[in-house]
Amino acid sequence: MSGLVLHNFFRSSASVRLRAALNLKGLPYDYVAYRLRDNEHRKADYLARNPQGLVPALELADGSVLTQSLAIMEYLDEIYPQPPLLPADALGRARVRALSQAIACDIHPINNLRVLNYLRANFGADDATVNHWACHWVMETFGPLEQMLTGDSRTGRFCHGDAPGMADVCLFAQMLNNKRFGVDMQPYPTIARIHDACAVHPAFVAALPDKQPDAE
C-alpha cells in the first residue's frame, strides 16, 4: 500500500488532475473530501496541512503534505517513475510542461471557484457574465494550444505520443470545466480528439467527478 491520503473535492479540476495521475500510476489512496461551497477547506485542521487552503493536497505515509497539483505530479514521477507522466528526454519534458502550464497556469487560476465568486460578489456578475468570462479565457489559450498540438509531430493519440501523461491530465480536467461553461470546441479539433481518447481511458474515467464518494 502507498499510504497516500488525497485531500480533495470531487468537482475541483486540480483534484481531477491528481486523481487521474494517481490512477495512471496505479497508486491507491485514501479519499478525504472537502466541500468548497461550505468552506471546509478554510477550517483550521486543513489549513494546518495546507496554509493556502486549496485542494488538492497529497499527504504521504510519513505525514508530509504536498500541495499544487503540477508539483505533486512531478514528485510522483520521481518516486514512482512507471508509467511516466513526463517523457524521458529533456526537450520532451519541456514541451509537456509547457502544454500543462498553458492550461493549469493560464486558464485555471482565473476560472476557478474563488475567482468566479469574487466576480459575483464584488462586480455584480450574473451567470451569463461569469460564463462569458470563463469562455473568453479558455479561448485565449485554446487557440494557441491547438496550434502547438497540431503543428508538432510529437503529438500522437495523446498530447505527447501515444500514452497519456501530465499534459493530458490537465487537458482532461479543463475540458470538464469547458462543458460546464458551454465552450464551443469546434475550432479545436485536435484538443477535442485528445480529450476523446482520455475520456475512454479507465484512469480518467475513474477520476471523473461523478465517480467520487462526495459527488453531489
Side-chain angles (χ1 to χ4, degrees):
M1 296 295 290
S2 63
L4 301 174
V5 179
L6 178 62
H7 301 268
N8 76 139
F9 175 60
F10 78 102
R11 194 181 287 129
S12 154
S13 56
S15 296
V16 172
R17 288 176 207 153
L18 191 49
R19 291 196 300 262
L22 288 164
N23 295 342
L24 285 169
K25 294 284 188 185
L27 294 172
Y29 54 87
D30 291 331
Y31 187 107
V32 179
Y34 298 81
R35 290 171 58 90
L36 301 192
R37 294 189 185 277
D38 293 340
N39 287 319
E40 291 181 350
H41 59 306
R42 305 302 303 175
K43 293 183 177 179
D45 60 340
Y46 186 64
L47 292 176
R49 290 185 173 90
N50 180 5
Q52 279 193 292
L54 301 175
V55 293
L58 187 67
E59 188 170 353
L60 308 183
D62 66 358
S64 300
V65 178
L66 307 180
T67 63
Q68 295 291 339
S69 62
L70 296 189
I72 298 171
M73 285 190 275
E74 296 251 11
Y75 168 85
L76 292 175
D77 228 32
E78 292 178 13
I79 303 301
Y80 307 98
Q82 298 299 325
L85 297 174
L86 289 163
D89 64 297
L91 282 176
R93 289 195 301 274
R95 177 176 185 256
V96 169
R97 288 182 177 119
L99 296 171
S100 302
Q101 291 172 24
I103 297 168
C105 300
D106 295 339
I107 300 175
H108 177 251
I110 49 179
N111 278 356
N112 69 8
L113 182 62
R114 62 178 179 167
V115 171
L116 302 184
N117 284 344
Y118 193 86
L119 290 174
R120 291 186 175 99
N122 293 277
F123 297 97
D126 58 15
D127 287 345
T129 302
V130 166
N131 284 353
H132 180 80
W133 166 278
C135 291
H136 170 79
W137 293 113
V138 170
M139 293 185 292
E140 282 288 303
T141 293
F142 265 32
L145 184 64
E146 176 74 16
Q147 294 179 35
M148 292 165 68
L149 291 167
T150 304
D152 195 314
S153 62
R154 291 171 292 183
T155 301
R157 184 166 186 249
F158 295 97
C159 289
H160 193 86
D162 293 324
M166 188 164 73
D168 305 285
V169 165
C170 293
L171 185 151
F172 177 75
Q174 181 59 46
M175 287 290 286
L176 297 176
N177 287 344
N178 289 3
K179 184 176 181 180
R180 286 170 45 218
F181 295 128
V183 175
D184 178 12
M185 288 300 300
Q186 188 170 355
Y188 318 114
T190 303
I191 294 175
R193 174 185 63 74
I194 293 170
H195 169 260
D196 289 346
C198 294
V200 297
H201 192 292
F204 291 87
V205 173
L208 285 168
D210 64 3
K211 304 294 186 184
Q212 308 316 309
D214 58 327
E216 300 170 355

